[in-house]
Amino acid sequence: MHDKQAAAPHKLSGTRHQGRPLLLIGNPGNKRTAGLQQARAALGLAPAIEVPYLNVLKQLEAGRHFDEIVRAALPADAEEAPLLRLDAPGEQPEVERELIAWGDNQIGFSDALLPFVELYGSGASLSAAAARRLDPARGELLYPAQWFRGYCCLLARLEQDVREALPQAQWLNAPADIAAMFDKRLCQQRLAAQGVPVPPRLARPGEVNSYEQLHHHVQHTGMHRLFLKLAHGSGASGIIAYQRHPRTGAEQVTTTIGVERSARRTYMYNSGKLRRYSDQALIKPIIDWLCAEGVHIEQWIAKAAHDGQAFDIRQLVAGGMAGHAVARRSKSPITNLHLRNERLPLADLNLPEPVLHHVKQTACSAAAAFPDSFAAGIDVLLRSGSLSAYVVDVNPFGDLLYHVDYEGLSTYEWEMKLLDEQNRTEGEATKGA
């Protein structure tokens, strides 16, 4: 049985049948693209039409419109407007450099979808030309605020072109929703406004801009255990579990952020493993950098534990229904699977059935806060002791889950099956009208 949310599931507009083409904007050859194509083949569906991010960026810069790119990619005999799926833009350095270039505010691209645009400008920045010449060190955290601004510029351009010239096409996850999910500050605000339980924040966006201001708010609120997160990071990139002793002022930080210094420059990098700092001389520049790039700060809620290790849950929601889920277990407070933490089936946690149902309902409520999106991965924390559920992240690209099935299907098979069933149902309804 599916667990349904109270709100109606996201519906795709327009008349469709099984043959409606799916156009995938992503990076060819990666695990996401391969997984989706394998799922469609297993279900007997036509392959998704792949349009690489890099091609889209280059052609838009050359003066083409996205609707022209779409029409050129579609089969000549296509009778219906396509479904459009945006996948994660990561894992390809050329795309990363190009998005940083798009984030150069001198270019004049639209910031219509950029959350908290008034807060931008304090972090490091590059000209578009310099961005395209970047040759970063391995793992270097490259201009994250400018990268996100560039991605939001791209999302705004795609949304505008489709709205104006391909109104019958339909996004699976709308660009505006992707931008809002991606920015943790706006995402948590939207969830809270919808009554979805989220950890209390330390301060409003833009109120903590330095290490010293962090101390001021810690003393004022009494929140001495916090998570500081890069506002638009993913995969535990730019995350800090922060503790400050209320009497002595002693600090301890657990983070993925490393600091590299040379005679030429100092830069932050994603170490791929956790590091611990207690020296203020190391902690201060990291927090100052994080604040300059955009930070979301929330109360550290102690996670429930299994066999002495903290865990949280990634719950996939698609079409308004909760499907695949995996527990992420760690000896540290940071549970992301990118850090080689342990994945477990939910059944192994031996949680009471009402708690599992509560997790699914909470995740579905979070997804319902983004009504123009078909699927998202929802990260749910259970508080130690009470097992109360809190949503700590909503990932628009959170359906890449390994070694977990639901109703005998992989994540992509389940999503494509739901889309196909909806296509058939609405197609039959149209014929009978």
Side-chain angles (χ1 to χ4, degrees), residues 66-402:
F66 183 61
D67 58 286
E68 297 176 293
I69 299 171
V70 172
R71 290 190 177 95
L74 291 175
D77 59 352
E79 296 180 355
E80 293 189 84
L83 303 174
L84 304 172
R85 175 183 166 104
L86 277 162
D87 216 330
E91 302 178 9
Q92 193 169 102
E94 285 183 285
V95 173
E96 183 175 12
R97 288 194 292 267
E98 202 59 40
L99 289 172
I100 295 171
W102 274 54
D104 176 5
N105 60 12
Q106 300 301 314
I107 292 179
F109 288 141
S110 171
D111 280 333
L113 296 186
L114 179 65
F116 306 107
V117 64
E118 70 279 3
L119 301 182
Y120 280 76
S122 58
S125 61
L126 279 181
S127 69
R132 294 184 175 112
R133 293 194 301 268
L134 278 171
D135 183 19
R138 182 175 176 84
E140 184 175 354
L141 291 164
L142 285 173
Y143 303 91
Q146 186 169 334
W147 177 94
F148 183 60
R149 185 175 204 160
Y151 190 49
C152 286
C153 288
L154 174 63
L155 293 174
R157 175 63 185 275
L158 299 182
E159 181 183 71
Q160 178 181 341
D161 284 1
V162 169
R163 181 178 63 250
E164 293 178 354
L166 283 174
Q168 298 306 311
Q170 176 67 43
W171 296 103
L172 295 189
N173 282 12
D177 273 4
I178 291 174
M181 290 183 207
F182 225 116
D183 189 293
K184 293 177 173 58
R185 301 163 297 188
L186 180 57
C187 179
Q188 296 300 80
Q189 281 190 3
R190 183 178 291 191
L191 294 175
Q194 295 295 316
V196 179
V198 296
R201 67 186 181 187
L202 177 72
R204 291 191 296 269
E207 288 188 337
V208 177
N209 296 306
S210 67
Y211 176 79
E212 288 76 18
Q213 289 179 3
L214 174 69
H215 282 185
H216 170 77
H217 284 276
V218 166
Q219 292 169 355
H220 178 71
T221 63
M223 291 186 191
H224 293 91
R225 301 178 80 240
L226 300 163
F227 269 95
L228 287 73
K229 303 176 181 180
L230 189 62
H232 24 69
S234 61
S237 177
I239 189 169
I240 294 175
Y242 173 89
Q243 301 179 74
R244 180 178 171 86
H245 194 283
R247 286 189 294 103
T248 68
E251 294 173 295
Q252 182 173 310
V253 156
T254 302
T255 182
T256 58
I257 302 174
V259 183
E260 188 70 26
R261 294 184 175 91
S262 68
R264 189 166 59 91
R265 65 185 184 122
T266 298
Y267 64 88
M268 307 295 166
Y269 68 94
N270 187 5
S271 69
K273 59 183 179 180
L274 293 177
R275 296 171 175 265
R276 290 179 173 84
Y277 305 110
S278 57
D279 184 350
Q280 184 190 66
L282 295 173
I283 294 172
K284 182 181 185 302
I286 293 175
I287 290 178
D288 283 341
W289 174 84
L290 199 62
C291 290
E293 293 294 335
V295 67
H296 169 70
I297 309 174
E298 63 190 25
Q299 187 176 33
W300 177 344
I301 295 176
K303 296 181 174 76
H306 177 262
D307 286 347
Q309 297 184 50
F311 72 87
D312 61 12
I313 296 166
R314 164 64 61 86
Q315 176 68 63
L316 177 62
V317 176
M321 295 178 283
H324 301 69
V326 62
R328 310 182 300 182
R329 190 171 69 173
S330 174
K331 295 178 182 178
S332 83
I334 301 174
T335 56
N336 298 71
L337 295 176
H338 294 74
L339 301 175
R340 299 178 181 85
N341 288 319
E342 186 180 7
R343 69 180 74 239
L344 289 174
L346 256 59
D348 288 6
L349 299 177
N350 297 315
L351 292 170
E353 186 58 36
V355 173
L356 293 174
H357 180 73
H358 182 45
V359 167
K360 293 179 179 180
Q361 289 296 100
T362 300
C364 286
S365 296
F370 301 91
D372 294 323
S373 289
F374 178 72
I378 316 295
D379 291 342
V380 181
L381 172 157
L382 294 176
R383 183 191 284 271
S384 177
S386 69
L387 298 183
S388 300
Y390 297 82
V391 173
V392 292
D393 201 10
V394 179
N395 189 333
F397 314 121
D399 51 6
L400 181 62
L401 298 177
Y402 301 115

